[in-house]
Amino acid sequence: MSNRKSKNNNLIHAECLLQVQRTLRERFCHQSPHGNLFGIQVQYKHLIELLKRTAIYGESNSVLIIGPRGSGKTLLINHALKELMEIEVSENVLQVHLNGLLQINDKIALKEITRQLNLENVVGDKVFGSFAENLSFLLDALRKGDRISSCPVIFVLDEFDLFVHHKNQTLLYNLFDISQSAQTPVAVIGLTCRLDILELLEKRVKSRFSHRQIHLMNSFGFPQYIKIFKEQLSLPAEFPDKLFAEKWNENVQRLSEDRSVQEVLQKQFNVSKNLRSLHMLLMLALHRITASHPFMTSADLMEANQLCSMDSKANIVHGLSVLEICLIIAMKHLNDIYEEEPFNFQMVYNEFQKFVQRKAHSVYNFEKPVVMKAFEHLQQLELIKPMERTSVNSQREYQLMKLLLDNTQIMNALQKYPNCPTDVRQWATSSLSWL
C-alpha cells in the first residue's frame, strides 16, 4: 500500500516538474505573451495607442521599432497585439507577419500576404498570375473598402532592413502608400536593429512613411537585472500546485541573494544586457531539473554560464588533426614574429618544417600537398581567411592570409585538446619560432 502511495506521489511530482518546465520554456522562448515588460513601458504605451487608433478608429499608421537584438522588440509587439485582440471591437482585425529572412523578395512576400489574408486567388500554396497582377489584386482588395466597414490590417515586418534591399522597394512603397490612403485602415510596423534605416529608404518610399520611431535601448542597471532574473524564473500565481510553486519561488529568492549566482549574473550583464541571453542561461539551467533534483541550484547556473560563454572557435580546434593544430601554432609564431602581419602558406609550411626537423618526435613529416590540404581545410572552417579575393592566375601558396584565432583561444584549446603531443604543446608555449 505504501509503495503504491509512493509511486503516485512520484507521478504527481514528475507531472508538476513537467508543468514547471513547460511554463518557463514558453516564457523564455517568448511563446507566451504574458509577463512584465522590463524598461519598455513608455514605448509600449506609445505602440498600443497607435494600434488602437487603427483598430478602433480606422486610422492608418506606420512606425519603426528600432533596437539591438534581444532588446524586446518582438516581445513589445506580441504584448501589444495580445492586448489589441482582447478588445471586443477589434475581433475582425487581420494580421500579416513577414520576416526579411524568409520572404527574400517581393514575390515571395506577396504570396505570404495573400496566404495570410485568405484572398480568393490563392489555392493551397499556389498563387496564379504574374507578380504585377497579384500586387494589383492585393492593392485593389485593400483599397476597395472604407474606414468604417473594412477590417483593419496590421502588417508586422520583422528584419525590416532586409526588405529595403528588395528590387525598387516595391512592396514597402505600396504598403506605406496604402497606409496614407483613405480606404482600408492599415498599420505597417517594421522591426529592425539598424539605426540608419531611414537612410536606406528610397526618396519616394521615405516620403510615404510617417517617420514615427520607437527606440528600445536596454537602459536598466544591475539591481533591476536581478529583479528581472527573479521574475523570469518565478512561477505565476495561477500555477496548479500552489505548495510547490511557493517552495519554487522561495528557492528563486534564495538564488537571487546567493553571491556565486550574483557573480554569474554580473558577468552575463557585463557581456550583454539583453534578455535573450539571460533566457538562454536560464533555459540551460532549467534543463538540469529532474525528479531527483527538483529545485535549481547555484551550481546549475554556474554550469549553464560555462556553456553560454563557451568559445565556438576553440571548440572547432578540439576536433582538428595534429597536423592542423601544428599549422595553427606555426601561424601563431608568425603572428608573434611579424606583429600580426598577414602570412601565406609557404611561410607556414617553412615554419612547420623547422619544427619537424629540429624538435618534433611525435609528428610525421607530411608531404607538401597533404599540408596544403590541411591548410585549405582550416580556411573552410573559417579559422583563417584570405586578405583579398583570389584571382584565377594567383598561386595558392603565396596568397596572403590572416589567422582568426588569438593566442588565448589557441592556448585554451590546446589545454583541452585530447592526447596532444607534449612537444607540440611545448612548441605552442615557446615565445619565438624555432630558429
Side-chain angles (χ1 to χ4, degrees), residues 113-338:
I113 293 170
T114 51
R115 186 188 69 79
Q116 291 188 34
L117 290 178
N118 295 317
L119 294 175
E120 294 173 352
N121 69 329
V122 179
V123 179
D125 293 329
K126 188 175 181 181
V127 179
F128 298 106
S130 67
F131 172 74
E133 289 168 347
N134 283 302
L135 181 60
S136 175
F137 175 85
L138 173 66
L139 298 178
D140 286 344
L142 291 173
R143 284 179 176 141
K144 275 179 181 174
D146 56 64
R147 287 180 181 272
I148 298 168
S149 61
S150 297
C151 291
V153 186
I154 297 172
F155 289 90
V156 180
L157 278 64
D158 208 348
E159 305 291 348
F160 180 85
D161 47 288
L162 297 180
F163 288 96
V164 168
H165 300 297
H166 291 188
K167 186 179 179 182
N168 298 330
Q169 299 182 3
T170 306
L171 182 71
L172 294 182
Y173 170 79
N174 284 289
L175 287 179
F176 285 145
D177 189 51
I178 291 168
S179 72
Q180 284 198 336
S181 70
Q183 285 89 15
T184 302
V186 170
V188 182
I189 302 163
L191 281 64
T192 181
C193 300
R194 295 196 58 161
L195 291 169
D196 63 342
I197 185 64
L198 290 180
E199 302 304 315
L200 302 177
L201 294 176
E202 289 182 5
K203 189 176 179 181
R204 67 190 185 116
V205 179
K206 195 187 296 186
S207 67
R208 282 159 175 76
F209 173 52
S210 68
H211 289 264
R212 288 191 184 93
Q213 297 177 48
I214 298 174
H215 290 268
L216 309 181
M217 290 302 171
N218 286 340
S219 56
F220 48 79
F222 186 66
Q224 192 177 1
Y225 192 74
I226 294 284
K227 187 180 176 184
I228 293 169
F229 164 78
K230 283 194 295 184
E231 291 187 11
Q232 290 294 283
L233 209 50
S234 296
L235 293 175
E238 61 270 16
F239 190 77
D241 191 329
K242 305 293 182 188
L243 184 62
F244 183 85
E246 190 177 328
K247 288 180 180 177
W248 176 275
N249 291 342
E250 285 173 3
N251 182 63
V252 171
Q253 179 63 37
R254 284 194 297 272
L255 280 176
S256 68
E257 295 166 358
D258 186 292
R259 186 178 294 275
S260 57
V261 172
Q262 288 187 355
E263 286 176 2
V264 166
L265 293 176
Q266 185 71 62
K267 285 179 185 174
Q268 193 82 5
F269 180 78
N270 292 341
V271 171
S272 172
K273 284 185 181 181
N274 75 59
L275 299 187
R276 192 174 293 166
S277 59
L278 176 62
H279 286 153
M280 178 59 72
L281 175 77
L282 298 180
M283 183 77 85
L284 291 169
L286 183 67
H287 182 67
R288 295 174 61 81
I289 300 300
T290 60
S292 58
H293 180 68
F295 296 103
M296 197 175 289
T297 64
S298 57
D300 295 334
L301 285 160
M302 289 167 77
E303 185 163 332
N305 182 57
Q306 286 181 344
L307 289 171
C308 282
S309 57
M310 197 173 281
D311 191 327
S312 58
K313 282 201 170 83
N315 285 344
I316 294 174
V317 175
H318 297 163
L320 298 179
S321 66
V322 173
L323 171 59
E324 288 163 341
I325 287 284
C326 287
L327 295 183
I328 284 177
I329 295 170
M331 296 171 203
K332 169 189 176 294
H333 283 304
L334 289 171
N335 276 347
D336 292 343
I337 296 166
Y338 298 111

Side-chain angles (χ1 to χ4, degrees), residues 101-117:
L101 294 169
L102 300 175
Q103 284 77 49
I104 57 174
N105 59 48
D106 283 352
K107 189 171 184 179
I108 297 171
L110 194 61
K111 283 185 181 181
E112 186 60 18
I113 293 170
T114 51
R115 186 188 69 79
Q116 291 188 34
L117 290 178

Side-chain angles (χ1 to χ4, degrees), residues 320-329 352 363-364 366-367 370-375 378 417:
L320 298 179
S321 66
V322 173
L323 171 59
E324 288 163 341
I325 287 284
C326 287
L327 295 183
I328 284 177
I329 295 170
F352 173 65
V363 180
Y364 179 74
F366 294 93
E367 295 291 329
V370 176
V371 180
M372 171 58 91
K373 199 74 178 172
F375 188 82
L378 294 176
Y417 187 83

Side-chain angles (χ1 to χ4, degrees), residues 23-34 36-38 70-76 78-79 232 274-277 279-280 283:
T23 301
L24 295 180
R25 280 173 180 159
E26 283 178 357
R27 185 183 294 167
F28 299 156
C29 296
H30 303 288
Q31 291 174 349
S32 172
H34 300 284
N36 295 329
L37 293 164
F38 305 104
S71 58
K73 298 186 295 296
T74 304
L75 187 69
L76 180 72
N78 286 346
H79 267 71
Q232 290 294 283
N274 75 59
L275 299 187
R276 192 174 293 166
S277 59
H279 286 153
M280 178 59 72
M283 183 77 85

